[in-house]
Amino acid sequence: MSLHRLTQIVMGVPNVEQTSAYYADFGLTPTNDASGSTAEEHQAATRTFSTADGGEQLRIVHSPRRRLVELGVGADDPDDLDRVAASLTQLGIPVHRTPDSVTAVDPGTEVLVRVSISPRVSQAATPTGPYNGPGTTPRLHERAPGILRANPVRPRKLGHVVLGSTDQETSQRFFQEGIGFKVSDTVKGLAAFMRCSTDHHNVLVQQAPVAFLHHTSWQVDDVDEIGRGATAMLEADPDRHTWGLGRHYIGSNFFWYLKDPAGNFSEYYSDLDCIVDDALWKPGVFEGAKSLYAWGPPPPPSFLRPEDLAALMTGAHTPAQ
């Protein structure tokens, strides 16, 4: 497909320094230091972070309430941008066109989406370690490689974002008919899993009473990296735990969710479904437990309905202390 990945997100939070420290612990690599010395400079600071394969993929900026400010989508060439601009215009969405980008705001999620000409991500394959099982023991007289790893976990790329929309149908049309995402699966009457790459989903838009960022999701090599990353995060602060370890049914990925100091969830994931030929994938419609997970602990109420949702609705969100 002409669209090929998420390039970058801009996350707005009331507490830039606290939230930035969290994502450094999470394994993203800081690429600037703009903390400022005065109170005004401190509030206006912008922090940026890179992943191992995706380059600079996270910017954290100040905002009165936590939200996703901007979502970047990579395209191959100017013809792709012309198509996006024309499709959004047909939907009645105002667009801004430059030689190398198209920007527009989705009214349901209030996110500015920037489609730009960007290089595709190149990822070196992760060697699969020897796994012993019934009738097969390729690993003899040695411990599993996964438990011997000592280096800090570093996410390979930004995988997807989940957004609350006050008008899910409009947001789905914006991403699907306007930007050019494809629907992989849906949750009946609630949400759509959409892709702009060969990953099962890059954006999930769900119906919500207020536009907000539910979570961001970051790819790691395998389930051992999920466990090691989450363990290190919880050793530093047990209150970061939200939900995991588990495996989703939609998308099939292993997961573990944690919560940043602004209230956004962040997910380590691995082994996500891959769709290369659209004709070979049949989108499903799910409800009940399968819409959430295949196995693992049940999701906590705070994951389904974030604790600060009422405050977000009234504009009374305050930074974590």
Side-chain angles (χ1 to χ4, degrees):
M1 65 193 314
S2 57
L3 304 179
H4 53 81
R5 67 173 176 125
L6 297 186
T7 56
Q8 185 187 70
I9 56 173
V10 179
M11 180 189 296
V13 298
N15 46 352
V16 173
E17 292 304 309
Q18 287 176 293
T19 304
S20 297
Y22 170 94
Y23 285 98
D25 288 349
F26 190 77
L28 303 183
T29 301
T31 54
N32 77 335
D33 184 0
S35 56
S37 57
T38 68
E40 291 77 11
E41 291 173 337
H42 187 78
Q43 177 169 301
T46 296
R47 292 298 187 96
T48 58
F49 296 84
S50 68
T51 57
D53 299 328
E56 190 176 285
Q57 293 203 279
L58 173 63
R59 286 175 55 209
I60 300 176
V61 302
H62 182 267
S63 173
R65 64 178 176 90
R66 67 178 183 89
R67 59 187 292 258
L68 188 64
V69 178
E70 184 175 319
L71 174 69
V73 178
D76 283 329
D77 55 54
D79 288 344
D80 300 325
L81 303 185
D82 291 339
R83 176 194 56 78
V84 172
S87 298
L88 288 168
T89 299
Q90 288 182 345
L91 292 177
I93 302 292
V95 301
H96 178 66
R97 178 75 157 87
T98 70
D100 61 359
S101 70
V102 174
T103 56
V105 176
D106 168 38
T109 62
E110 301 176 6
V111 172
L112 185 147
V113 176
R114 183 182 305 276
V115 183
S116 59
I117 299 173
S118 306
R120 293 185 174 235
V121 171
S122 176
Q123 293 190 289
T126 300
T128 301
Y131 276 79
N132 290 341
T136 176
T137 53
R139 189 184 74 252
L140 295 173
H141 317 303
E142 61 180 349
R143 303 185 195 280
I147 68 167
L148 299 177
R149 298 171 189 167
N151 56 305
V153 170
R154 188 179 179 201
R156 300 287 298 269
K157 69 174 184 178
L158 169 66
H160 61 265
V161 298
V162 173
L163 302 168
S165 171
T166 55
D167 189 337
Q168 195 278 334
E169 291 184 2
T170 293
S171 292
Q172 183 172 335
R173 283 197 302 273
F174 176 92
F175 282 100
Q176 183 180 0
E177 300 174 24
I179 304 296
F181 280 61
K182 298 179 180 181
V183 174
S184 298
D185 288 306
T186 58
V187 178
K188 188 175 181 180
L190 179 65
F193 291 76
M194 295 177 283
R195 66 187 186 276
C196 64
S197 71
T198 57
D199 289 345
H200 176 273
H201 58 282
N202 302 106
V203 168
L204 188 160
V205 176
Q206 62 184 23
Q207 184 64 36
V210 63
F212 77 105
L213 171 61
H214 185 274
H215 74 261
T216 60
S217 188
W218 306 85
Q219 182 193 56
V220 294
D221 287 339
D222 54 31
V223 69
D224 278 303
E225 295 298 90
I226 292 176
R228 293 200 317 116
T231 297
M233 290 290 282
L234 298 181
E235 286 177 347
D237 183 355
D239 290 337
R240 291 169 167 174
H241 175 71
T242 298
W243 183 29
L245 173 71
R247 187 159 194 162
H248 287 301
Y249 191 94
I250 302 177
S252 303
N253 51 299
F254 295 104
F255 67 81
W256 199 318
Y257 294 91
L258 304 143
K259 187 169 73 170
D260 73 25
N264 306 297
F265 302 122
S266 62
E267 175 189 15
Y268 290 119
Y269 82 89
S270 69
D271 195 24
L272 184 72
D273 290 335
C274 181
I275 304 170
V276 176
D277 188 337
D278 297 336
L280 299 179
W281 180 266
K282 182 179 180 180
V285 179
F286 299 90
E287 55 186 326
K290 279 188 176 180
S291 67
L292 293 167
Y293 67 127
W295 57 257
S302 62
F303 182 82
L304 303 176
R305 186 179 177 84
E307 295 171 350
D308 64 348
L309 197 59
L312 291 174
M313 292 172 65
T314 60
H317 181 61
T318 56
Q321 300 299 318

